[in-house]
Amino acid sequence: MRSLKVVSILTGLLAIAACATQETQQPVARPDVKFGKPIAAADLAPWNIDVRTPDGVGLPAGRGTVAEGKTVYEAKCTVCHGVDAKGGPVYGTMVGGIGSFKTNTRVLTPGSMYPYAPILFDYINRAMPMDKPQSLSANEVYAVSAYILNLNGLIPDSAVMDQNSLVKVQMPNRDGFIIDDRPDTQAVRCMTNCK
Amino acid sequence: MRQKIGVDSALTDDGLHARRAVVPAATDPTEDSGRRQFLRRGTMLAGGALAGGMGLARAAPLDVPESNKGFGKPIAENDYGMPSKFESKVKRRRTDILKNRQNFSDWSMTPLQDQLGTVTPNGLIYERHHNGTPDIDPATHKLVIHGMVRQPLEFSMADLMRYPSVSKFYFMECSGNGLTDWLKPASTTVQQTHGLLSAGQWTGIPVAWLLDEAGLEPGASWALFEGGDGSGHVRSLPMKKLLDDCLLVYALNGEMLRPENGYPLRLFVPGWEGNVSVKWLRRIKVGDKPWHTRGETARYTDPMPDGKWRQFSFEMECKSVVTRPSGGMTITPGMQEIQGFAWSGNGKIKAVDVTLDGGKNWQGAVLEGPVMDMSLTRFRYRWDWKGGPATIASRAVDSTGYVQPTVQDIQKSRAIVGFVQHHNGVFPWSVNANGEVKNAIA
């Protein structure tokens, strides 16, 4: 009698387990194993390319001028982005758009959109040119960043960009962001004679 | 946010009971009588076609098919099974509306009109890449964790696959899903309007385990995830979510990830916009604030009417769409099972309503179990189409009580003209007197 009760309880538990959806499962505990190998900072340096763009942490040594940037741009970027970064056969303009965000014809360029100038360095360095990313030297990346900023009227022709000066460039969209504040809709579940 | 098992889930864990429990009173509640009705009506229709509507007609005499009369295809020594050649139209497709002039930073979409269950086949999972698909050898792939950790660590794929694994069903949706169809119809099919959506069972290990192994330093509150592709795609993610439910994933639907879905390793962030689930993952850097990369400032942000941009809008809010019938299909009078999917990045689907008159009146649809957190949930609604014009749509409610809005609801708080993401609006399809189904967003 007693064992029958136990069996029926067990069967019940098994049935509940079989019905359980994934969030009712027991959380899987971290196993007491460690398979990672320690790695030294110097050994991972070639991968450590990110730039924290508001304060420029991660920007490497090096420097580049607007004129040097124009030379690099014309050799490696014009084919997709067009002359003077005004748009080419593959991508649209990278110049202008400042002040366009309150209209329905927003123009997104590094000049109008980037809140922090080091985004140029981080992105060009990791992703450009698209057919050969991570091939530019730090000097070339600083130079192309300078050229794009200059075309957008944000730094003078004589500017030199490096890990100190790039962070100081004031971008027009610096205060242009709000943190996610959704849900921002209040739909009601109306069933009959709605609207 | 998460709902413990309660009345809703207890009912819907069992598909049959769920159907009986949630089925709208106005329609026939049972599967069996529904099927009988359907068969009856089908017979009558067939009869009508053959005998000019004069009662029941007989089917034509049967021939023994060729498939009965010979060898089939032999079992191959080695083989990876493919769909029937008669299903060759079921393919991922790029959008017809927004043509990029290159195919590297681009996307392809899942044929939802042909997805008949809540798991997307691996060859049909939508794609969004920022510089094409790399070809990575798992024998040489490495993952590095560093930054604000006590011990920077490197893992090989063999290391990662030695850990116990977990498998979870989740949807994945691109933040840009629907961006061509906010205010007027542009796309024809549900593949084009909603196909940046896929779902399946993801297998890997909790991110929390490896962060714990490396040892988070005090103040560690964000981490950067970086891909090993030509774009070096990067996103910053808050530590709370990473420790809660994020996975380092190497398999989908029982096999290793396909190259286009991150082989051999990706991050998977349940319920959040797809681009944060960084593919071809090579590096995790722990920090104390976000990096504000291009992808989280100039892209994947949402324009607001005052000229500002909403940033870190990660959650994919509650949404649903009717997949059958949907744009490009033609229906005939009689029983139509309206089918579709509902999902929410904030929890479980609690209910789906269907309208047949463009949103004036709504009826509860049947949810098909299992109804799981942040997963695709299938819904069904039986409709006896009499042949007149109709506008059908679905509206989902999630376990937080959030009701899927209309585009007009969204427009009250956001700017939605242009290249705009996070479209979770109710999506109508019109049916004309000829039974042609068309995109009716307006």
Side-chain angles (χ1 to χ4, degrees), chain B residues 13-169:
Chain B
D13 284 339
D14 174 335
L16 201 66
H17 286 100
R19 262 176 234 126
R20 291 197 175 128
V22 207
V23 80
T27 59
D28 195 317
T30 68
E31 191 79 66
D32 282 341
S33 71
R35 189 176 296 131
R36 275 199 301 277
Q37 274 193 352
F38 174 68
L39 289 173
R40 250 196 323 269
R41 201 168 276 130
T43 316
M44 284 170 67
L45 280 175
L50 285 171
M54 300 288 285
L56 294 176
R58 290 191 182 80
L62 293 171
D63 289 328
V64 177
E66 289 306 310
S67 60
N68 274 142
K69 297 194 284 193
F71 280 125
K73 185 173 155 264
I75 293 174
E77 203 57 49
N78 296 289
D79 167 304
Y80 192 100
M82 298 299 286
S84 161
K85 66 187 175 193
F86 301 109
E87 298 299 323
S88 61
K89 70 179 196 308
V90 181
K91 283 195 162 74
R92 283 190 294 239
R93 292 186 57 174
R94 296 173 66 205
T95 171
D96 294 336
I97 309 307
L98 208 158
K99 290 274 192 206
N100 286 312
R101 282 169 280 180
Q102 42 74 36
N103 309 121
F104 299 96
S105 180
D106 202 2
W107 53 91
S108 71
M109 308 170 94
T110 296
L112 294 175
Q113 67 279 10
D114 298 305
Q115 182 170 323
L116 303 176
T118 51
V119 168
T120 310
N122 285 348
L124 298 174
I125 303 279
Y126 80 80
E127 300 172 279
R128 169 66 173 118
H129 317 313
H130 299 86
N131 194 354
T133 297
D135 189 18
I136 297 177
D137 180 352
T140 57
H141 189 69
K142 299 276 194 279
L143 171 70
V144 163
I145 302 180
H146 70 131
M148 289 177 68
V149 294
R150 282 191 287 279
Q151 176 59 64
L153 294 173
E154 182 204 85
F155 300 85
S156 67
M157 284 307 298
D159 294 332
L160 294 171
M161 294 182 73
R162 279 188 69 189
Y163 291 89
S165 64
V166 296
S167 292
K168 300 274 192 178
F169 286 93

Side-chain angles (χ1 to χ4, degrees), chain B residues 5 43 99 124 189 320 322 346 387 421:
Chain B
I5 188 159
T43 316
K99 290 274 192 206
L124 298 174
T189 65
S320 68
V322 172
N346 288 313
Q421 320 223 10

Side-chain angles (χ1 to χ4, degrees), chain A residues 125-141:
Chain A
N125 184 50
R126 70 173 58 252
M128 291 293 130
M130 221 168 152
D131 63 335
K132 222 177 170 197
Q134 300 198 35
S135 64
L136 299 178
S137 69
N139 287 350
E140 288 176 313
V141 178

